[in-house]
Structures are given as C-alpha cells and as structure tokens.
Amino acid sequence: MITKRQIELLMKLSEKDDEYQTADELADYFHVSLRTVYQDISYLKTELDNHYATIKAISSKGYCLQIINKEKFQIYMNNLFNNYYQKFHFDDPLSRNHYIIMRLFTTKKSFLTQTQLQNELYISKSALSADLKNVKQLLKEYHLELYCNSHSGVQIRGSELNKRILILKENIQFQSMNQITQQNFNKDITIIVEEVLNSHRYIVSDVIFQSLIIHVELSVQRMIQGSFVNDEEIEEIQENEAEYSIALDILTKLSKKFGFPLKKSEVYLLSINLLGKKNYDEDDVISQELNDFILEELIKINHEYNFDFTCDLNFRIALALHIAPMLKRMQYHMQLTNSITLNVKQNYPLAYDIAASIMMGIYESYGYKALDDETAYLAIHINLCMEQDKKMAEPKRVLLICPNRKSETLLLTQQIYRRFRQQIQDLTITPSYRFSDINLADYDVLFTTEEQVVNDTIQAIHINYFLDEKDYLRIELALNGINDVSQLKNYFDDELMYFGNAEDKSEIIQLLCLKAERKYALKNLNEQVMRREEIGGTYYGNFVAIPHPEQMISNDTFIALAILKKPIVWQDNHSVKMILLVCIEKNNPRALQLWYYLSNLISDENLVKKMLKARSSNEFKIVLNELQKMQ
C-alpha cells in the first residue's frame, strides 16, 4: 500500500522528469534517512512497473523518473490523489479508524506493526493507541476482535461474514487497485451479473441490482485476497432454488475471470442475498401462514392505533410483498442497511412506531429480531397508506355515556357546548344500560363519565362529570386533534420535567415513569416502556430519544421531559441528552396526531439545540414559545 510520503516522493520526482535527483537531496527534503529513501524508491519502482512510468537509478547521478505515457501516467497520479487524499483525511479520527481497518483487511501479511501504521498516518504512538482503542470498540459491535501482539503487531480476528458486514455498513473503502483497474473490475462484474440474470430471466429493480453488484464486488475482492466465508458461518439453502442456480452461474464465471477457487459457502451466501432481494409480484404465491399473520397484525393495529387497514386489499398485498423477502433476509442474517433511518423516524414517527409493532409480531411469530433499518423501510410502506382524517375539521356527532338522568346532565352539556359548540354537530346522552341499543357507526366521538366503561370493549374517552382543564384538553383533542405544532406545549407539565444527570437509559426512564405514575395514577408504565425498548430503537437523532409504552394505557396524553447535562448512550452508540417520554391516551385516535407535530420539533436541529441548553422548566417554556413561529 503506497504511503503519503511515497506519493510525495513520486510527485517530487515528477516535477523534474528526465532529471536526476540524488538520494541525499531527497533525504534532506523529506527529513528521513538514506535507508528510508532507498526503501521508498524500491517500492515505487515495483509500483510503477505497470503504470506507464519507471524510475532509473545511476549511482553517480541519483534517481530519475521517466514517463512512458504522459496521459496514462496523469490518470494514475489523479487516482492517487482521489483515492488517497480525498478518502482519508488523517486529521479526522473516523477516517484514520477506517484507514486502519482497511489496511488490516488488505495487508498481505498476517499482521501490521504499529510502527507501520504510525508512519502511514503520520501520528504519534499515543495518538495511534487512542485510534486502536476506537477501532477495537467498533469491531466489537460486529463481533470481531482487534488482536494485538507486542512482537508481530495487530490483526483483525473473527468470521469472514462479520468482516464483510462491517465493510459494507461502515463503508470501508479499499485502495488496492488503481483507477483504470478498478473501472475494468466493476465493468467485468456488472457484465457477468447482467448476462446471468438475463439468461435466467430473473427480474430485479435498478436499486436491487446496484445493491447486488456491491455485494458481488466485495465478495470477489475478498476471495481474490484469499478470504472466504466458512461453511459453518452460512446456512445451506435448497439447491433446487432458482437463486442457487443463478448464484452458482455468477460465481463460476467470476472465478474463471479472476482466478479464485469456487467454494460452496460463497454460492450459498450469494443465493441468500438474492433471496433477500427477490422481487415478488401478485402472481407469486404468498403463503397462507403469511396472509394470516398480516391480517392478525392489521387487526392489532386497528385496536391499538385505530387505523383500519383490514379491508384495504391493496395494502395487504403490498405488505405481504414487502414482508416475504424481508423474512428471508432476517432468516439468513442479511438485513438491509438504510441511510435514511433517522429521517424516517423524525418525519414519520407514527408510521415507524406501527412498523415496530409489526416487527414485534414477527419476532413473536417467527423468532426474527429486526434492525432499525429494516423497520424504517417497512415504515415507509405504512406511511404511504396512512392519511389524515378528512373529517377532522367538520363538526362531530358526539355520544356521551352517563348514568345520570337527562335532567341531571344539563350542567355537563352546557359546559361542553359553551366551549365546543362550533365543533359539535349533535350531542346524544345515554346511560350505559341502554348502550347496546346504540349504533356506534352514527357517532364520531364517544365520551363517558363512567370509569368502568373505559375498561370494557367500548372505545370511549373518560371525562369527569364536573369538567376540569384536563377534561377540556381531552375533549379538544378528540374533537379537533392538534391543529398546529404550538399546541405541543399543552402536553408538557412542570411536574413531569427533570434537569440533571443520569447514569444510563434505564435510570432516566424509571425516573420519568415514576413521575408520570404518581401524577396520573398509572400502573406498570415503566414495564410497558421497557418492553417497547426491546421491540426497536427509540433514538430519533439530534440527541433526542422518545421512549413510550408498548400499548396505550393512559387516559391522558402527556409528555414527560428530561434534559441531561451529560449525554448517555441510548442505543448503537448514539448519545442522548433530551428524553421525551410520550404517552398517548387510549380510545382517542386523534391524539395520535401528536406524533406528526413531534416530528416537526425533533427534526428542527436549531430548536433542539436551544432546548438542550435549558436548565429549568421556565427556560424550556421560553424555547417552547418559539413553536408559534413554526407555522
């Protein structure tokens, strides 16, 4: 691997091509020993053999660069700049870490010494130690080990499959080919994959095709280097599958082209990749088991979120066509990566939460646990099918279940009409014993003053006979939803705010849940929230996490807030300083609009920065007042 100094040496020689420069001159210029100059020149002579130039050496004169083909040599030099300087900014720790991983993956030796890495990175021993510590932590996330030996150096140990997952997810760039060779390599692979897919009449989308090419290129690069997936790392698939035949055909042609041995484990790996990317259409057979599962999940969504997709046949088919290949990916541990996961969470938080609920159903039914990236892809599909209630601005037909006689409900009806006359088309009052005679389809909103009614199957919102401000807020939310983002401040309460420090995620969730349980007489809130954390991540970017219960268990909608002085790790090494514990009241579908307006808040980076500086409820409210300006 050519080093920065060797590139600079080549540049120095190219400034005066066909002129000789002595080893002493070069040693003084680069502040290195003569031995280092000899070693660098020797490496460059080997490197340049096939790169349209050569270095001549005459003992009495020194070294001279002779350019054989100026145009091609310039392309080679441009390639060095593009692939080295632009991709590895060594003043950036992350780029140094990626470079270290890349070098450890591409070295022809078993180990790289720390001295080699120091020289290539131009950093001190202590700086390299800090970088290696970060690399070790990153490798641990992929179940890999950074092995260090005081004599031999360092190397990466672990399964080849995990190494490839790391390379793909962390976008590790390899520098083992010059630009022309890389272009030809990409072209040859693309042509072979295209030919095989066409010969098998196998249809894939453009996006899937590009993803497949990336997978194949990486596999071929690793196999050329002698790194293969072991049999025990990969599950076998049925060899009568069309995908197996295609994978075998592709790798047979590529092994002949690039001279690596063909191994069955690699064929299985490519087959699984194809299965996970397979395009299903309506003519494909979706199993009855999957149909039944989807219907059960849609019934659950209707019960928990009040979105009824059960009769939407197109949505059910679309969901099945998405979930079928996703289950294959999950089965073979090849879930997709998604560069816009945080954007999906921020912009479609409700759709993401519904997707997470379906993923929990998959875990319970199939035993596969989804990554956030796969959940985000599912959320995009769900969001397409979610529309705002078109009747939101229209006056509502209201049913009030109340045990009192009609003459005794006059005060209650007057209170409701006084506040909400414009939003109510009709208000009907009935006792619970006559409830069975009522056609619920005739009403848009149900309220009740009977606590036990809320606990039954009736989807009614509980209010007190003598209305207080909380009741008015419930009625307002049920009738109108949330009309603008500034209304979010109605759901923050001083008693549910915390400003300080926390050791970890569990501690801060428990603290906020305890505050909420005391204020709203809730039970098992912490248990519900922690169960939701197991389903999928609740980190939403910008140092914000939004934990919430798995099910709607509250009669109130509220947000408990924590702003921490020091960040804590929430998930996947993401740090969090602001925690919004969100509870949506049950039986009120319009309360779910809170998610839409929360997305406006958490995606506004400048607003979040101001919130993170708040050290009291008063300071936080001052920032909340700026929500008025977001209209």
Side-chain angles (χ1 to χ4, degrees):
M1 182 69 189
I2 193 167
T3 66
K4 182 179 179 181
R5 186 182 60 248
Q6 289 165 352
I7 293 174
E8 291 173 350
L9 176 57
L10 189 57
M11 289 171 57
K12 178 70 174 171
L13 292 172
S14 66
E15 288 173 1
K16 301 178 180 179
D17 59 295
D18 291 329
E19 291 186 21
Y20 286 89
Q21 300 179 57
T22 67
D24 287 330
E25 289 173 340
L26 295 171
D28 289 340
Y29 182 84
F30 289 104
H31 306 291
V32 296
S33 67
L34 286 173
R35 182 179 178 181
T36 299
V37 171
Y38 298 148
Q39 289 175 339
D40 286 347
I41 291 290
S42 176
Y43 181 87
L44 287 173
K45 287 175 72 175
T46 305
E47 174 72 12
L48 287 170
D49 275 348
N50 299 314
H51 293 141
Y52 327 110
T54 186
I55 296 175
K56 276 196 169 185
I58 299 178
S59 58
S60 60
K61 293 183 177 181
Y63 302 101
C64 170
L65 177 69
Q66 290 190 332
I67 300 175
I68 300 168
N69 186 316
K70 286 189 175 181
E71 183 179 348
K72 291 186 176 181
F73 179 73
Q74 189 59 50
I75 292 174
Y76 170 67
M77 290 299 292
N78 290 340
N79 176 58
L80 289 181
F81 282 114
N82 292 335
N83 287 337
Y84 196 96
Y85 284 104
Q86 291 181 13
K87 290 184 179 178
F88 296 110
H89 304 284
F90 291 154
D91 57 342
D92 173 23
L94 180 61
S95 289
R96 291 201 304 271
N97 295 343
H98 280 196
Y99 178 84
I100 290 170
I101 293 171
M102 181 274 294
R103 287 290 285 116
L104 291 172
F105 277 142
T106 56
T107 182
K108 295 179 180 179
K109 302 177 181 179
S110 298
F111 289 86
L112 271 181
T113 67
Q114 295 193 29
T115 302
Q116 282 178 281
L117 290 172
Q118 277 180 247
N119 291 338
E120 292 178 19
L121 292 166
Y122 280 76
I123 58 176
S124 65
K125 186 176 181 180
S126 60
L128 179 62
S129 295
D131 286 343
L132 290 176
K133 185 177 180 181
N134 292 333
V135 169
K136 186 175 184 179
Q137 185 60 39
L138 178 60
L139 293 175
K140 190 177 179 181
E141 294 177 25
Y142 294 90
H143 308 290
L144 297 170
E145 177 193 2
L146 183 68
Y147 177 77
C148 301
N149 183 288
S150 57
H151 299 292
S152 304
V154 293
Q155 68 173 187
I156 295 175
R157 291 183 173 180
S159 79
E160 174 63 19
L161 186 57
N162 287 338
K163 289 177 182 178
R164 294 188 193 180
I165 293 171
L166 164 67
I167 292 167
L168 287 173
K169 287 195 174 183
E170 298 297 330
N171 193 26
I172 304 295
Q173 300 294 319
F174 285 88
Q175 310 300 305
S176 55
M177 303 179 187
N178 64 52
Q179 189 172 10
I180 295 173
T181 306
Q182 183 70 52
Q183 287 174 351
N184 291 335
F185 176 77
N186 296 345
K187 183 179 178 182
D188 290 339
I189 287 178
T190 301
I191 290 172
I192 288 174
V193 173
E194 282 180 346
E195 287 177 349
V196 173
L197 292 179
N198 285 334
S199 67
H200 286 265
R201 300 182 180 276
Y202 196 81
I203 300 172
V204 294
S205 68
D206 291 343
V207 174
I208 294 300
F209 179 75
Q210 292 304 321
S211 174
L212 180 63
I213 292 296
I214 291 170
H215 169 88
V216 174
E217 285 180 354
L218 173 59
S219 297
V220 171
Q221 281 182 318
R222 296 294 291 165
M223 288 187 285
I224 289 173
Q225 294 172 2
S227 301
F228 296 87
V229 173
N230 294 326
D231 292 337
E232 61 269 18
E233 292 181 58
I234 202 74
E235 293 186 42
E236 296 184 8
I237 70 166
Q238 294 181 359
E239 295 186 9
N240 60 354
E241 293 269 12
E243 286 74 20
Y244 179 85
S245 178
I246 293 169
L248 180 61
D249 202 352
I250 289 173
L251 289 179
T252 299
K253 293 179 184 296
L254 288 172
S255 68
K256 292 177 181 178
K257 177 71 178 177
F258 295 104
F260 59 83
L262 181 64
K263 295 203 173 184
K264 207 163 211 179
S265 58
E266 294 288 349
V267 179
Y268 285 141
L269 179 62
L270 183 53
S271 304
I272 292 166
N273 191 281
L274 284 164
L275 279 168
K277 291 179 169 63
K278 182 177 180 180
N279 278 357
Y280 289 85
D281 56 39
E282 293 183 36
D283 294 328
D284 286 302
V285 178
I286 303 298
S287 69
Q288 187 61 45
E289 178 189 7
L290 182 57
N291 270 323
D292 292 342
F293 167 78
I294 289 172
L295 181 58
E296 288 175 7
E297 289 302 307
L298 295 184
I299 292 171
K300 183 176 72 175
I301 289 169
N302 186 27
H303 177 73
E304 294 181 1
Y305 297 92
N306 210 54
F307 285 103
D308 190 358
F309 300 129
T310 55
C311 297
D312 189 337
L313 184 59
N314 289 331
F315 178 61
R316 288 174 62 177
I317 292 173
L319 204 57
L321 296 181
H322 178 84
I323 290 178
M326 184 180 74
L327 289 174
K328 288 288 186 182
R329 294 194 294 272
M330 297 171 85
Q331 179 184 355
Y332 294 111
H333 314 291
M334 298 189 67
Q335 296 187 48
L336 296 177
T337 57
N338 191 340
S339 61
I340 60 169
T341 293
L342 284 182
N343 289 333
V344 172
K345 282 186 171 185
Q346 292 173 0
N347 293 305
Y348 314 121
L350 179 56
Y352 183 87
D353 201 51
I354 293 174
S357 176
I358 294 176
M359 290 302 195
M360 186 60 182
I362 287 174
Y363 178 69
E364 292 171 348
S365 298
Y366 296 92
Y368 307 142
K369 193 164 186 179
L371 299 177
D372 283 6
D373 289 353
E374 282 283 9
T375 306
Y377 277 120
L378 183 58
I380 294 171
H381 281 269
I382 292 170
N383 189 69
L384 292 174
C385 298
M386 291 172 56
E387 295 181 354
Q388 292 277 12
D389 190 342
K390 296 179 180 178
K391 300 188 297 179
M392 195 177 297
E394 299 175 3
K396 305 298 185 297
R397 295 164 298 179
V398 177
L399 177 66
L400 174 60
I401 306 167
C402 184
N404 302 67
R405 291 190 298 271
K406 192 171 183 179
S407 60
E408 295 172 340
T409 59
L410 182 60
L411 176 61
L412 178 58
T413 55
Q414 283 183 338
Q415 287 178 297
I416 294 174
Y417 270 124
R418 188 180 300 115
R419 280 276 191 111
F420 306 105
R421 184 175 296 277
Q422 299 301 317
Q423 290 85 30
I424 295 177
Q425 175 182 327
D426 179 61
L427 175 60
T428 301
I429 300 175
T430 184
S432 57
Y433 65 84
R434 293 186 57 187
F435 184 79
S436 58
D437 300 330
I438 300 292
N439 183 6
L440 296 183
D442 293 337
Y443 300 94
D444 301 307
V445 183
L446 276 67
F447 295 111
T448 180
T449 59
E450 298 184 61
E451 182 71 39
Q452 68 272 18
V453 172
V454 179
N455 296 325
D456 294 335
T457 57
I458 301 169
Q459 301 293 303
I461 300 166
H462 180 259
I463 57 175
N464 294 300
Y465 181 82
F466 296 100
L467 301 177
D468 57 21
E469 285 304 316
K470 286 184 182 179
D471 293 314
Y472 285 127
L473 192 59
R474 289 193 195 102
I475 296 171
E476 170 74 29
L477 194 58
L479 293 175
N480 300 323
I482 300 175
N483 293 322
D484 59 65
V485 70
S486 67
Q487 288 183 303
L488 282 178
K489 60 186 179 183
N490 295 330
Y491 302 99
F492 287 94
D493 190 303
D494 288 2
E495 296 179 37
L496 301 182
M497 293 188 186
Y498 171 78
F499 301 86
N501 287 315
E503 287 295 323
D504 54 31
K505 170 180 173 179
S506 298
E507 181 182 339
I508 195 60
I509 287 177
Q510 186 175 29
L511 186 151
L512 293 178
C513 286
L514 186 60
K515 285 177 176 286
E517 286 173 347
R518 287 172 179 169
K519 183 172 180 63
Y520 293 103
L522 295 172
K523 295 181 179 179
N524 303 322
L525 178 59
N526 185 72
E527 180 184 338
Q528 279 278 326
V529 172
M530 294 309 294
R531 283 184 62 184
R532 173 58 184 81
E533 289 295 317
E534 293 175 5
I535 295 174
T538 55
Y539 172 73
Y540 283 77
N542 292 335
F543 295 97
V544 178
I546 310 182
H548 49 283
E550 182 186 20
Q551 297 176 334
M552 296 169 196
I553 60 173
S554 172
N555 290 329
D556 300 271
T557 297
F558 62 83
I559 305 172
L561 167 77
I563 295 180
L564 305 178
K565 294 178 182 178
K566 296 180 181 179
I568 59 173
V569 175
W570 199 262
Q571 68 178 78
D572 301 331
N573 287 328
H574 292 303
S575 295
V576 160
K577 290 187 72 177
M578 182 162 73
I579 298 93
L580 303 172
L581 175 64
V582 175
C583 273
I584 305 292
E585 64 193 72
K586 55 189 175 183
N587 301 336
N588 186 355
R590 286 181 178 80
L592 290 165
Q593 291 174 52
L594 184 71
W595 282 111
Y596 292 108
Y597 293 99
L598 268 177
S599 72
N600 291 327
L601 185 149
I602 62 177
S603 60
D604 189 321
E605 189 174 351
N606 291 328
L607 188 65
V608 171
K609 284 180 180 178
K610 291 179 181 178
M611 290 179 175
L612 291 176
K613 294 178 181 178
R615 291 294 175 263
S616 68
S617 58
N618 286 336
E619 290 181 15
F620 183 76
K621 286 179 179 178
I622 291 172
V623 181
L624 275 184
N625 287 333
E626 294 190 17
L627 292 174
Q628 295 283 4
K629 303 174 185 177
M630 296 177 63
Q631 306 310 306

